[in-house]
């Protein structure tokens, strides 16, 4: 249940873990950035930027969670481009990517850390 992608110094509590339903997203404000938090069917947590880089709207938290092979993905609810939840890379448009964020579950609370460099 815990996904701690590295040793970040600052964490923002987003919500209780059960609030992030499997295969669904939750939008959160982390500092001054909108973040989309997802939980996959197997309990893994992922955090990406909430701004759809192609559609230009803050809607990624409403995306369609799925997979391509073993890659966990989310499809934009606007134009359906698919993004790798681990890296933020668009699997349909080369050179397009979402920022990714550190995420963990501590004491049953989902926390998002500083943005990882893409």
């Amino acid at each position: 249940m815990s996904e701690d992608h590295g040793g970040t110094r600052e964490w923002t509590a987003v919500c209780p873990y059960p609030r992030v339903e499997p295969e669904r997203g939750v939008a959160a404000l982390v500092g001054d950035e909108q973040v989309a938090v997802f939980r996959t069917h197997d309990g893994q947590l992922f955090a990406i930027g909430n701004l759809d880089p192609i559609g230009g709207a803050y809607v990624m938290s409403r995306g369609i969670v799925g997979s391509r092979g073993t890659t966990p993905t989310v499809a934009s609810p606007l134009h359906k481009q698919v993004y790798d939840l681990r890296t933020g890379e668009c699997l349909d448009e080369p050179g397009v990517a979402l920022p990714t964020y550190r995420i963990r579950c501590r004491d049953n609370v989902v926390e998002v850390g500083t943005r990882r460099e893409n």
Side-chain angles (χ1 to χ4, degrees):
M1 179 173 1
S2 179
E3 290 288 319
D4 185 344
H5 297 288
T8 192
R9 290 184 207 108
E10 295 185 28
W11 294 94
T12 299
V14 172
C15 64
Y17 179 78
R19 170 67 179 84
V20 185
E21 296 180 31
E23 307 297 309
R24 301 287 173 115
V26 172
L29 191 60
V30 177
D32 60 352
E33 297 182 60
Q34 286 192 32
V35 176
V37 173
F38 297 95
R39 183 172 117 188
T40 55
H41 68 88
D42 61 359
Q44 290 186 76
L45 293 168
F46 297 93
I48 58 173
N50 198 33
L51 178 64
D52 180 333
I54 294 173
Y58 290 92
V59 296
M60 293 307 296
S61 64
R62 295 178 179 253
I64 302 162
V65 178
S67 63
R68 282 201 180 162
T70 60
T71 301
T73 62
V74 64
S76 167
L78 295 178
H79 301 290
K80 309 302 185 246
Q81 287 85 8
V82 176
Y83 296 85
D84 183 333
L85 283 171
R86 300 169 302 180
T87 65
E89 292 179 45
C90 183
L91 303 178
D92 300 323
E93 299 285 335
V96 176
L98 295 162
T100 58
Y101 297 81
R102 300 175 190 277
I103 190 164
R104 70 182 181 187
C105 184
R106 191 175 75 157
D107 298 327
N108 212 35
V109 174
V110 175
E111 298 177 332
V112 174
T114 56
R115 182 166 50 141
R116 291 196 302 193
E117 295 300 318
N118 282 346

